[in-house]
Amino acid sequence: STVEAVSGAEIKAKYDAALEKMKAKDASSAALSKEDLKIVYEDEHIVVVDKPSGVLSVSGKDGSPSLAGAVFEAYGCEGGSADKMVVHRLGMDTSGLIVFARTMAALRGMNSAFRTRK
């Protein structure tokens, strides 16, 4: 097998192209309203949502629409931002259940449970 030398410029060009492709995909994330949210469970501590594919779990730096943003707008949280609700994420093309914390105690407890796989 032969290994070809690749210049730094070629690597950077491929990296930049891949980054632009990811940014474009993130920008295509569907915006959700409260009515669009499929709530599976909610109480004063957590909200469990059935995430559809085609939606970001969390916004990127560009502020693309996300499930976390929609859940925060609909339910709010003690932490005061969508970032303070995120317990875990699913990829944009993946559908499934996502847990969001409404209190800081729930966020700490759920983060610990996910970290220790309990």
Side-chain angles (χ1 to χ4, degrees):
S1 108
T2 306
V3 177
E4 292 184 35
V6 179
S7 73
E10 288 174 299
I11 293 171
K12 180 162 180 7
K14 287 183 180 184
Y15 171 79
D16 289 344
L19 191 59
E20 285 306 311
K21 187 176 177 182
M22 286 190 298
K23 284 180 183 177
K25 184 168 186 170
D26 286 357
S28 74
S29 178
L32 299 174
S33 68
K34 182 174 183 174
E35 293 75 32
D36 296 325
L37 297 175
K38 293 181 182 151
I39 306 303
V40 175
Y41 176 83
E42 71 173 286
D43 63 22
E44 65 273 12
H45 302 286
I46 65 170
V47 178
V48 180
V49 183
D50 187 2
K51 177 196 164 301
S53 67
V55 177
L56 288 170
S57 292
V58 296
S59 294
K61 292 179 183 176
D62 64 351
S64 296
S66 70
L67 185 61
V71 171
F72 178 72
E73 287 295 318
Y75 292 92
C77 76
E78 193 175 90
S81 76
D83 291 344
K84 302 281 186 191
M85 297 182 81
V86 178
V87 174
H88 66 103
R89 301 176 296 194
L90 294 175
M92 183 172 170
D93 294 331
T94 304
S95 62
L97 299 181
I98 296 190
V99 180
F100 291 97
R102 296 178 73 185
T103 64
M104 294 308 292
L107 182 64
R108 283 190 298 275
M110 295 300 290
N111 282 340
S112 177
F114 271 82
R115 207 174 20 257
T116 58
R117 304 198 187 297
K118 293 189 176 182

